[in-house]
């Protein structure tokens, strides 16, 4: 299996790297929006006291695995490092845009929605999500370079 991933990493080139990073960011944003909608990742002050830890663990494991696979496909530590920061930026931006849509369309009060969206995005991505994305991408790139 590793040889298959390695051949993908070798053949993607510069345009492919940009597409991998874009897909990485969109996937992380999808994970974050899903976790926020289902109430898995919410600010600590509003956390349900009887919420099971499995959902939170699966969310962060998903972030790590997606980053690990993207790092393996990029197959270069510098590209993976830059890609981790760019993908996190893309993911946070897309998550914020998805969360403020009810305020922009007038369904809910815009100021309240913007404040909640900022809280949710920072809770979903910083600091543990950012660390796992960076760590997973670097581990995947190092693992592929070693082979």
């Amino acid at each position: 299996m590793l040889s298959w991933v390695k051949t993908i990493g070798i053949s993607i080139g510069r345009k492919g790297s940009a597409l991998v990073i874009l897909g990485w960011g969109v996937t992380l944003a999808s994970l974050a929006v899903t976790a926020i909608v289902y109430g898995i990742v919410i600010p600590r002050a509003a956390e349900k006291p009887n919420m099971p830890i499995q959902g939170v663990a699966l969310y962060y494991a998903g972030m790590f695995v997606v980053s690990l696979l993207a790092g393996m496909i990029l197959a270069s530590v510098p590209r993976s490092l830059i890609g981790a920061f760019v993908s996190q930026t893309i993911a946070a931006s897309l998550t914020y845009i998805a969360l403020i849509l009810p305020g922009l369309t007038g369904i809910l009060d815009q100021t309240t929605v913007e404040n909640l969206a900022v809280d949710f995005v920072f809770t979903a991505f910083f600091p543990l999500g950012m660390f796992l994305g960076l760590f997973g991408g670097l581990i995947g790139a190092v693992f592929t370079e070693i082979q």
Side-chain angles (χ1 to χ4, degrees):
M1 166 149 164
L2 185 60
S3 63
W4 180 69
V5 172
K6 197 171 187 179
T7 57
I8 290 172
I10 291 171
S11 66
I12 59 171
R14 288 182 187 242
K15 291 179 183 176
S17 294
L19 291 175
V20 169
I21 293 169
L22 180 64
W24 187 0
V26 169
T27 305
L28 291 179
S30 173
L31 280 170
V33 170
T34 303
I36 289 168
V37 167
Y38 282 114
I40 294 170
V41 179
I42 52 177
R44 302 293 182 239
E47 190 170 347
K48 300 173 190 172
N50 58 356
M51 189 173 75
I53 196 73
Q54 291 90 359
V56 177
L58 283 174
Y59 167 69
Y60 286 121
M63 289 189 77
F64 178 76
V65 169
V66 166
S67 300
L68 182 75
L69 291 174
M72 288 175 74
I73 292 172
L74 290 174
S76 169
V77 172
R79 278 191 283 178
S80 180
L81 181 65
I82 292 169
F85 288 115
V86 172
S87 69
Q88 290 283 336
T89 304
I90 291 169
S93 300
L94 289 175
T95 303
Y96 177 75
I97 290 169
L99 293 176
I100 65 166
L101 282 176
L104 294 177
T105 57
I107 296 172
L108 297 172
D109 180 44
Q110 188 172 0
T111 308
T112 306
V113 171
E114 287 177 0
N115 291 336
L116 285 173
V118 169
D119 289 343
F120 287 162
V121 168
F122 274 103
T123 301
F125 288 105
F126 305 107
L128 189 57
M130 183 78 135
F131 173 74
L132 287 174
L134 179 65
F135 186 66
L138 288 177
I139 293 296
V142 167
F143 186 69
T144 306
E145 280 188 352
I146 289 174
Q147 299 295 325

